Amino acid sequence: MLTRRETLGGGAGLMAAVAAGSSTLRAQQRALDFSDPSDSLYAYVKTVGSVAPEYRYTHVRGRVYGSVPGEVIRPLMDYEAGLVNFFERMENGFRLTRFETMHFLDMETGALLESFANPYTEQNNIPLHGVVGPQTYELTPEKGIQVIADYEKNEDGAPFSLNWQADGELMRFTIETLREYPESLTPEAWPEASAGRMRRYGDFLTWTVRRDDLENEDLNSAPATMFYSGQTNWQHWLFMGQKPGHLLWHSSGGKYASVADLPQSYV
């Protein structure tokens, strides 16, 4: 049996070892150069998912706003969205399989939105909630992120690079997507739902993570938070047609290791 003095003495010795930087007590560190495509890709995967073959879940909750020329921006509804990410190592990078989900909520009750009183048309609309996937991507230091369709790769690409920014112990980057693509509903067949010949959107997703967690080789996945903002055409189910204006999206959230950890409303 140890005396109290011996116990305290042992504790003091342990603290001294920690203060001295005992290698047996310190996590294995990997110094990252965030300007290097290989290190940037490794840190990205560890932030949004895991460098081990295991599922990681992201979740955001926020609000959707309507913006019409000559009017004040109007809050319309709340929403929840998230990703199911699964990364697998390849010889030179990672393969990502992803599902995406989104549903709309009543702003006052938080309940699943089953009917929406559209203030712009004075009509009731039935919301269409979404599930997308699985989508497959390959991520390599040389060619960045490539969408895989039927496992036929687009050979174009650029070295993997993110706008990593240091803020003390924190690291941040923003994924910016600005895109247009042909409208799936033509104006002739769907005059009240179609946005015209093209749909356009801008997505801005900012991740925040601790540098120590990224460089800690004992962690396969780093705790991280995120903020999302975006601008899109009207949702088809709002039946706004080609009326001037667009939707603004604003939300925040984080990453989870299991479904059980996600907010119950999203589950």
Side-chain angles (χ1 to χ4, degrees):
M1 297 292 292
L2 295 176
T3 66
R4 183 172 182 274
R5 172 173 298 211
E6 290 168 331
T7 302
L8 291 175
L14 178 62
M15 294 305 295
V18 172
S22 171
S23 60
T24 61
L25 300 175
R26 219 174 35 233
Q28 295 296 315
Q29 295 295 112
R30 169 181 173 175
L32 296 176
D33 177 359
F34 292 90
S35 65
D36 177 80
S38 294
D39 282 355
S40 183
L41 173 57
Y42 171 84
Y44 169 79
V45 173
K46 200 167 181 178
T47 299
V48 306
S50 173
V51 295
E54 54 191 5
Y55 288 102
R56 284 297 181 268
Y57 307 87
T58 67
H59 168 267
V60 294
R61 180 164 181 159
R63 184 155 289 182
V64 186
Y65 301 83
S67 178
V68 171
E71 296 185 18
V72 176
I73 291 174
R74 184 193 302 256
L76 300 179
M77 66 199 80
D78 288 350
Y79 80 103
E80 285 186 296
L83 303 172
V84 181
N85 288 323
F86 187 82
F87 288 91
E88 301 171 274
R89 284 189 183 271
M90 303 188 304
E91 182 177 354
N92 184 31
F94 293 86
R95 178 183 292 268
L96 166 62
T97 303
R98 166 177 288 174
F99 283 90
E100 181 175 359
T101 72
M102 180 176 65
H103 63 267
F104 299 98
L105 305 168
D106 183 274
M107 289 190 294
E108 294 184 2
T109 67
L112 187 69
L113 195 63
E114 298 180 353
S115 178
F116 176 69
N118 190 331
Y120 298 114
T121 64
E122 298 183 351
Q123 296 179 350
N124 286 325
N125 302 134
I126 298 176
L128 296 180
H129 313 286
V131 177
V132 179
Q135 296 172 311
T136 307
Y137 305 84
E138 286 190 356
L139 299 84
T140 62
E142 296 81 11
K143 294 186 177 181
I145 302 176
Q146 295 182 294
V147 179
I148 308 302
D150 297 326
Y151 294 93
E152 293 181 4
K153 289 185 290 186
N154 176 4
E155 294 302 325
D156 295 333
F160 194 94
S161 177
L162 295 173
N163 59 340
W164 290 97
Q165 299 177 16
D167 180 9
E169 297 180 348
L170 300 178
M171 299 295 296
R172 292 192 182 92
F173 65 87
T174 297
I175 298 290
E176 176 184 287
T177 306
L178 307 174
R179 188 170 296 169
E180 67 174 9
Y181 56 93
E183 168 67 280
S184 58
L185 304 182
T186 64
E188 293 80 12
W190 300 89
E192 295 183 350
S194 175
R197 297 299 175 191
M198 304 294 291
R199 290 191 71 83
R200 299 175 178 87
Y201 69 90
D203 280 345
F204 310 92
L205 184 58
T206 299
W207 286 88
T208 301
V209 62
R210 289 177 55 88
R211 181 171 189 145
D212 283 351
D213 291 334
L214 292 176
E215 295 186 334
N216 181 355
E217 291 198 305
D218 293 339
L219 294 177
N220 291 322
S221 179
T225 59
M226 61 179 172
F227 167 79
Y228 171 79
S229 64
Q231 176 178 316
T232 69
N233 296 104
W234 304 110
Q235 290 274 295
H236 289 139
W237 57 266
L238 290 171
F239 291 103
M240 293 289 287
Q242 299 179 57
K243 291 181 175 62
H246 53 264
L247 295 175
L248 299 172
W249 307 71
H250 176 96
S251 60
S252 60
K255 185 178 67 174
Y256 297 80
S258 73
V259 172
D261 295 331
L262 289 164
Q264 190 58 41
S265 59
Y266 184 59
V267 174

